[in-house]
Amino acid sequence: MSTSGAASPPEQAAVFTRIRLADRRDVPNIHRLIHQMAEFELLTDLFSATESSLSSTLFPSPPLLPFHSFTVLILEISQSPIHNAAEDDSDLGFRPITRRIALKSVFADPEASIFTSPRGDGLVVAGFLLCFPNYSSFMGRPGIYVEDIFVRESWRRLGMGKMMLAAVAREAARMGCGRVEWCVLDWNKNAIAFYEGMGAEVLPQWRICRLTGEELSKYAVDEEDSAGRP
């Protein structure tokens, strides 16, 4: 008996991702993502960034080479394959990274309309990473410091954060950097386990020291002026 009419198995649910360089058009989404990150980390009392301050400090004109100054990567998702257009950042030395991620089931993103990508084509912004160069005097080599990495709640636990960190690590290795560093909150055990799983070493003996606000501003006054120079 012929079986040519047998039904094909259903296609597995999937989402398509792209990691690309951000530009000024992404600032509104970056600002919203930073605020969500501050809420997640219970640090909204420290959040004072504005779209204007982000735009002027992160995206100078003309743009600087990525990973040689402040660099923001944007994570986009789509329900259909993403095709890199001519505007693919290759002229800046970074080619967008696209991946297909299998899903156990299709689910809705309740914030999709809020995080529409300025690149259009039905793309939605799911996360971002901010990094910049640093230097190790002990190694005598440059490095990259990851200031922020964040994936919206709807898209966590799918390997997207690892994809963004891996993109930075790849660039660091290609540039001859000695290391990639970042911080993690001590209560965020899931993140600590995730980073250790990537091969990162968590250094409990180091503490962050920070000058900010009024304590920083007072150093703008010349010592002689503050002493009452005649």
Side-chain angles (χ1 to χ4, degrees):
M1 180 181 294
S2 174
T3 59
S4 59
S8 301
E11 186 175 350
Q12 184 177 17
V15 67
F16 299 86
T17 66
R18 177 169 69 182
I19 297 171
R20 62 165 176 81
L21 290 176
D23 59 33
R24 288 190 177 218
R25 293 171 294 176
D26 294 297
V27 166
N29 281 328
I30 294 171
H31 186 258
R32 283 188 283 268
L33 288 167
I34 295 173
H35 187 264
Q36 283 197 359
M37 181 174 62
E39 291 179 325
F40 174 77
E41 295 180 346
L42 308 178
L43 296 172
T44 53
D45 57 311
L46 302 179
F47 179 79
S48 62
T50 65
E51 290 186 19
S52 177
S53 66
L54 292 173
S55 181
S56 62
T57 55
L58 291 178
F59 303 107
S61 183
L64 301 175
L65 287 176
F67 307 103
H68 292 268
S69 182
F70 302 124
T71 301
V72 180
L73 300 180
I74 289 291
L75 169 66
E76 295 173 318
I77 58 98
S78 174
Q79 301 302 319
S80 56
I82 301 172
H83 302 286
N84 290 326
E87 183 188 21
D88 67 358
D89 307 321
S90 294
D91 57 333
L92 293 175
F94 182 84
R95 185 170 182 79
I97 301 167
T98 57
R99 295 285 186 274
R100 178 186 183 276
I101 297 178
L103 303 176
K104 293 182 179 179
S105 61
V106 178
F107 58 89
D109 178 356
E111 298 177 317
S113 62
I114 302 173
F115 285 95
T116 300
S117 171
R119 300 291 177 96
D121 294 330
L123 293 164
V124 174
V125 173
F128 83 111
L129 181 149
L130 167 62
C131 63
F132 49 83
N134 63 5
Y135 192 85
S136 168
S137 56
F138 283 13
M139 299 180 74
R141 297 169 68 184
I144 295 178
Y145 185 82
V146 177
E147 174 69 16
D148 295 321
I149 178 171
F150 183 75
V151 176
R152 291 195 292 109
E153 184 174 4
S154 295
W155 301 105
R156 292 174 194 159
R157 294 172 290 279
L158 292 170
M160 296 183 184
K162 183 176 181 179
M163 287 169 51
M164 289 193 287
L165 272 177
V168 173
R170 181 194 67 182
E171 294 299 323
R174 289 178 175 178
M175 292 166 58
C177 294
R179 60 194 183 197
V180 176
E181 294 182 303
W182 60 93
C183 292
V184 60
L185 292 167
D186 59 1
W187 56 260
N188 197 343
K189 305 303 182 184
N190 289 336
I192 291 172
F194 165 68
Y195 296 143
E196 289 178 332
M198 286 191 67
E201 180 184 5
V202 178
L203 306 173
Q205 68 271 31
W206 291 89
R207 302 294 295 271
I208 297 173
C209 300
R210 177 179 294 162
L211 272 174
T212 188
E214 293 183 2
E215 294 302 315
L216 174 62
S217 297
K218 69 183 183 182
Y219 285 94
V221 180
D222 185 84
E223 289 185 4
E224 292 186 5
D225 288 340
S226 63
R229 182 177 56 187

